Amino acid sequence: MSFRETANDLTTKVKLALEVSKSGSEDSDVARTTMRRDELMKSYQKIRNDLRISKAENEHLLDMIVEAFPDMGQDISSCSSSEEYLSPSGDEGSVDASFLKNGKHELLESPTSLGSSHMTKRRRRQGKRDDRNDPKPIEPLPRDADGNLVFPIVVGRGQDQILIHNLGRIKWEPETYHTSRYIWTVGFRSTRVYPSIVTGEPGCTYTSEILEGNGDMPVFQVTPADMPDKPFRATSSSGVWKQILDALTSKGASVKTHASGPQMYGLSNLGVTKAIQELENADKCSKYIMQKWAEPDKSNAVAAMSSGSDSAEE
């Protein structure tokens, strides 16, 4: 073999070796890229799960705040419009940044920054709110001759009118199906009229329901009549209605930006409270504190009747 042939043969072998090396390097790069992609996907899934857990904890905490401070029901809710991570039908939603603006100084600052007088007011109001032994006046609901409730039950007036079609049944375990103030009855269903997310016009009927969840928590679902295939879902009543209010606000509708979920469902009505805590198995809800009721003052009633008869005689 001549020198030229030997040189050409060596060049060919070197080129072949370089190609093999390059191919191996590319395969190695692909393997590293694939591994990195898998790591990123695992990290993404973990962050997504952490967000869902944080959302559930956030909603539960703020619902407890709404229950403890009813006067602030218009100022806070359990979701926000700043960062979305739970949408209609249970995919992505939102966390309430406006709560951090409006409710921060009221609830989240340290006692020293709040001042002693402010803390005294908070303790006094909270103590009064937590005392369910304070008898409340009975708000009678319509019943038939046999004493059975007549549905739909109408609570509220005007734009705040709510029709309750089913009180549901009590699921006392796990404890996530009730709080100290509310029992989340499975099958509860109410309707109310509110502006449409689709058109922005008033007159759309929203159906609010409490469903049994697959896990340890109930599912709060609200379905607009003109969006039957796109129900809104969340792990709290305030959370699901906040999604709707955010959607309406984004469409330019003139609605409030925050609301108490129990009020939007019709659960805060005292007549409804009494009816639910009289359902079977209510006494098995370990965290729930039974509301006491004030008996009608018979002496006042007699005095009123007597006054009425005297006036008639005159």
Side-chain angles (χ1 to χ4, degrees), residues 73 76 80 191 218 289 293 299 309:
I76 65 176
S80 129
T191 57
I289 301 174
W293 306 102
S299 61
S309 61

Side-chain angles (χ1 to χ4, degrees), residues 65-263:
I65 294 173
V66 170
E67 294 167 16
F69 298 91
D71 295 338
M72 298 181 63
Q74 302 299 324
D75 299 326
I76 65 176
S77 70
S78 8
C79 288
S80 129
S81 53
S82 64
E83 292 184 26
E84 299 185 351
Y85 61 90
L86 192 66
S87 62
S89 301
D91 296 330
E92 302 290 334
S94 53
V95 179
D96 194 358
S98 57
F99 163 73
L100 297 178
K101 294 178 181 178
N102 301 330
K104 181 177 181 181
H105 300 291
E106 181 74 22
L107 299 172
L108 300 183
E109 291 185 359
S110 65
T112 55
S113 65
L114 283 169
S116 59
S117 63
H118 191 83
M119 288 298 294
T120 301
K121 291 180 181 178
R122 281 186 57 199
R123 290 195 193 100
R124 186 178 302 153
R125 181 169 56 178
Q126 185 176 12
K128 182 178 180 181
R129 174 66 174 173
D130 290 341
D131 186 10
R132 300 205 78 185
N133 291 321
D134 183 18
K136 298 288 179 64
I138 297 176
E139 294 188 13
L141 299 180
R143 296 179 181 269
D144 60 21
D146 296 325
N148 300 314
L149 288 172
V150 177
F151 291 95
I153 300 170
V154 181
V155 299
R157 296 180 180 178
Q159 295 180 347
D160 295 324
Q161 185 179 87
I162 299 171
L163 302 182
I164 297 174
H165 305 272
N166 195 331
L167 289 179
R169 60 179 177 83
I170 291 179
K171 179 180 173 72
W172 66 94
E173 289 184 342
E175 292 183 347
T176 49
Y177 279 81
H178 63 275
T179 68
S180 63
R181 302 196 63 80
Y182 295 105
I183 299 176
W184 312 123
T185 49
V186 176
F188 179 93
R189 180 167 54 91
S190 66
T191 57
R192 66 175 301 149
V193 175
Y194 222 62
S196 168
I197 296 175
V198 177
T199 66
E201 297 297 324
C204 179
T205 299
Y206 288 78
T207 301
S208 300
E209 299 174 277
I210 302 177
L211 309 177
E212 186 170 5
N214 294 328
D216 294 334
M217 301 185 71
V219 174
F220 294 84
Q221 175 175 291
V222 179
T223 307
D226 54 1
M227 297 171 60
D229 298 330
K230 295 181 179 180
F232 292 79
R233 299 192 186 103
T235 55
S236 75
S237 56
S238 296
V240 68
W241 266 102
K242 183 58 169 64
Q243 293 179 29
I244 295 170
L245 296 178
D246 283 348
L248 286 167
T249 302
S250 68
K251 297 285 187 179
S254 179
V255 297
K256 52 190 174 184
T257 56
H258 305 84
S260 162
Q263 288 181 0

Side-chain angles (χ1 to χ4, degrees), residues 2 26 30-31 103 246 254 304-305 314:
S2 66
E26 290 177 350
V30 171
D246 283 348
S254 179
M305 292 177 62
E314 293 177 359

